[in-house]
Amino acid sequence: MKTLYTRIVIVYIITVMISLVIGFFTLTLLYREILGSEQEEMFIKQGKGIITLFREFDDMSELKNVANELLKPMLIDFTIYDSEGAPEVFGTVKRSISEERIQQVLKGGVYREEGSDPNNPIVGLPFQKDDKQYALFVYVSDSDLNKDAYQVIILGFLSILISGSILILIVSRFIVKPLTKMTQVTQELSKGNFDIHLNWKRKDEIGVLARNFDIMAEDLKKLEQMRRNFISDVSHEIQSPLTSIRGFSRALREKDLPSAERLEFLQIIESESERLSRLSGHLLQLASLESDQHTFEPKVFSVDEQIRAIILKLQPEWSKKDIQFTVDLPKTYIVADKDLLHQVWQNIIYNSIKYNKDGGTIGIRLTKKTRMAIVEIEDTGIGIAEEHLRNIFERFYKAEQSRSKKNGSGIGLAIVKKILELHHGNIYVRSKLGEGTKFIITLPLKNKPKR
């Protein structure tokens, strides 16, 4: 019972057996009811014919000869009782009939077997001859005929059970075989072997399951690769500033180091420490957002004013590159977590400044459609190649070498994506290499946390 194959076979066989038992009893009842009533009618009809024949013969021995010839193909026998209860048997079998039944018929009653022995039906008919009362009892000459019929039914049901069980064994193995194969594949997956595929062409539910299984294996393979890349990227991001800190800390031990260089090294150590702090903060925040335990505090605020405040906050950055802003921000109130959305706008606008060219432009446009607020942020920067667009929201993903040189951790957009998901919003990106990038953010005007 530990295997699915055994369970399926046992359940199927038990189901077949129950169905056969129900069918047998149903068929038996119908057989008794229909065949029993037909036999009674036949016995009555034949009994009337025998009575007519009996009345035409005065010689009992002559009647017996004629009756025996007639009874052979009819498979019935009969016994005639006179008014004294003396029997005269016609045929090969004498049935034991109670005195009570004989007297009942002699008195003019018709007797029908009510099923005490359905294999031996009997009918009793009264009649008169020469002013004498007689009783005729008609019955089956071979009582084993009905028993044989029951045996045929039983053998038929047994043959159905045996052949059905064999077919169930074969079909169940065919059903369970793919699941057994999936179990083997699952064991391989648990060992870290993701280069396995079922590749079944079946169109039934098992075929759909197999195809979904292949998709799952492929996703697990990608997830494992992402995990390895994540560990590698985190190690690299941490190792790089640690190496700088260690190197410059050793340099500071030099007694003859000029004060100007000492100050420069201290600034570098401070800068790398801040970089480590930002990285760890981003990782902790992303872990908090993904664990669905992050505090979500929606409230009504003006999103256009929030974006304007961020543009002003970043003025030192865009002023150094002589970047021009074109802003179309009509008054728009939304219900959202103000602090979380602040990170979204700051990250995207800061990236637009960071990867823009000197003297470039950034356009920010806010529109409302039905119940959604749509914010478009477009720059004239270095752009992103098309093959990298689908991956830019992954952790530590860096689309271009030119971007990686700008000390980005590659985790900011992953945080942006998660924050927008918590707000039931979304983010899309369009970009052409060398021409610029456009981010499109959609947010519902009223919000509840996504859990």
Side-chain angles (χ1 to χ4, degrees), residues 95 113 117-122 139-140 142-144 146-147:
R95 284 285 296 275
E113 179 66 55
D117 186 2
N119 292 322
N120 295 293
I122 184 171
Y139 44 86
V140 178
D142 187 359
S143 62
D144 291 332
N146 285 338
K147 293 180 180 179

Side-chain angles (χ1 to χ4, degrees), residues 251-362:
L252 288 173
R253 293 178 183 178
E254 297 293 333
K255 294 180 180 180
D256 299 331
L257 187 68
S259 59
E261 288 187 14
R262 186 181 299 275
L263 181 60
E264 181 183 354
F265 292 169
L266 287 172
Q267 288 176 343
I268 292 174
I269 291 173
E270 182 182 4
S271 175
E272 293 299 310
S273 299
E274 290 176 353
R275 179 180 168 190
L276 275 175
S277 178
R278 285 195 303 271
L279 176 61
S280 62
H282 286 162
L283 288 173
L284 288 172
Q285 182 183 18
L286 187 58
S288 175
L289 291 171
E290 290 182 342
S291 69
D292 291 336
Q293 300 300 317
H294 190 85
T295 303
F296 190 90
E297 299 178 351
K299 56 185 177 182
V300 179
F301 67 95
S302 174
V303 69
D304 58 291
E305 290 182 3
Q306 186 181 52
I307 296 173
R308 286 192 182 92
I310 291 171
I311 295 173
L312 291 175
K313 178 182 175 181
L314 296 174
Q315 182 178 4
E317 303 295 333
W318 52 265
S319 294
K320 286 188 296 186
K321 300 182 73 171
D322 195 26
I323 293 174
Q324 300 296 318
F325 275 83
T326 57
V327 178
D328 181 10
L329 298 172
K331 181 61 66 176
T332 304
Y333 289 94
I334 66 171
V335 180
D337 190 305
K338 189 174 183 179
D339 292 337
L340 289 178
L341 281 188
H342 184 278
Q343 290 182 258
V344 171
W345 313 128
Q346 178 163 301
N347 187 288
I348 296 175
I349 296 173
Y350 180 77
N351 282 345
S352 295
I353 297 170
K354 185 177 179 180
Y355 300 113
N356 212 330
K357 58 188 177 182
D358 292 345
T361 61
I362 296 176

